[in-house]
Amino acid sequence: MPEQIRFTTPRLFATRLNRHQAGLHQEIMAMFTARVSRYLPPASQQLRSPLEVDSWLDSMMQTGMLLRLTEQVDGDSTVNGSENRSAIGYLFVFPEQEHGKRGYRVGYVLDEAQWGKGLATEAMQGLLHYLSDACLPDAECSERDVATPHLAPEVSRATYFIAGIEPANVASLNVLTKLGFEFDETRQSVDYYRLVPTAIAAAH
């Protein structure tokens, strides 16, 4: 996965998580409450100590990456500025191959205090645009579109996205539906939804 991946949305800044950031363990333990993590995989539900956080981060980063979400303040979308602000959530990105085509499994977690503001949809939309290069700066995009840069050379453009959710997770299902995901299959009691980049614009 690329070392440098970041993007902005009208309200958010996303950058690759820094494992050495001060206070990271406490930030994650405070965010992953029972309500926030109840629909996440079991390994993401018991983060009650720095050791458990480290184990979780190790397992996540072996196969993918985590992006840290912060709110933009006075237009400051710099890396240093974001690290000085508390995270409001995280994005999960896992690259995969299917029939020789590049895809990404994606997901998110959002701080409970931020629910109901449309931030999960905005953050996920920004991620999808970044990885698909669907809305370039010189394209005719609506004001609601995320202003993302051209893909970095080391980022493979996505040909599809996959997101898995528990059937009872109505809030996340609403997010995926808004983004244009469609039901694909159920495996081990998890419903998987699929999106191809050409469907992103149609979901606006």
Side-chain angles (χ1 to χ4, degrees):
M1 295 294 290
E3 291 297 326
Q4 299 299 325
I5 175 173
R6 57 179 178 264
F7 61 85
T8 61
T9 73
R11 293 179 290 175
L12 302 172
F13 178 63
T15 188
R16 188 166 185 173
L17 183 142
N18 176 9
R19 285 288 296 268
H20 304 292
Q21 181 175 324
L24 179 63
H25 295 82
Q26 290 73 20
E27 177 181 277
I28 292 175
M29 288 187 290
M31 186 181 301
F32 281 60
T33 63
R35 289 191 68 194
V36 167
S37 62
R38 61 179 172 174
Y39 293 125
L40 295 177
S44 301
Q45 296 182 8
Q46 303 295 326
L47 306 180
R48 299 172 180 170
S49 71
L51 183 62
E52 289 172 339
V53 171
D54 276 331
S55 177
W56 176 72
L57 290 173
D58 287 342
S59 64
M60 296 289 282
M61 293 181 175
Q62 283 177 358
T63 56
M65 71 169 2
L66 295 176
L67 300 180
R68 186 172 180 267
L69 292 170
T70 57
E71 290 186 284
Q72 290 199 52
V73 177
D74 297 327
D76 181 6
S77 59
T78 64
V79 174
N80 290 337
S82 70
E83 290 193 354
N84 292 330
R85 295 191 292 274
S86 297
I88 65 165
Y90 298 94
L91 294 172
F92 312 133
V93 185
F94 301 96
E96 61 176 46
Q97 294 277 348
E98 186 177 275
H99 306 299
K101 296 182 179 180
R102 167 65 75 187
Y104 292 94
R105 285 187 293 115
V106 294
Y108 71 91
V109 63
L110 192 67
D111 186 84
E112 190 172 347
Q114 306 299 329
W115 291 2
K117 301 178 182 179
L119 293 174
T121 302
E122 182 175 322
M124 286 287 283
Q125 185 182 62
L127 178 64
L128 300 179
H129 276 250
Y130 184 90
L131 293 176
S132 64
D133 214 14
C135 183
L136 299 173
D138 56 351
E140 294 183 2
C141 302
S142 72
E143 293 181 356
R144 291 183 299 170
D145 286 328
V146 180
T148 57
H150 290 269
L151 281 173
E154 66 270 30
V155 182
S156 298
R157 180 180 283 108
T159 59
Y160 68 92
F161 295 100
I162 296 290
I165 60 172
E166 295 287 339
N169 191 350
V170 177
S172 288
L173 175 58
N174 289 337
V175 170
L176 296 182
T177 300
K178 290 177 184 177
L179 295 170
F181 280 81
E182 296 183 350
F183 177 77
D184 187 45
E185 62 177 339
T186 299
R187 298 198 309 267
Q188 298 180 339
S189 300
V190 175
D191 291 339
Y192 288 89
Y193 291 78
R194 178 181 293 263
L195 174 71
V196 295
T198 53
I200 295 176
H204 291 168

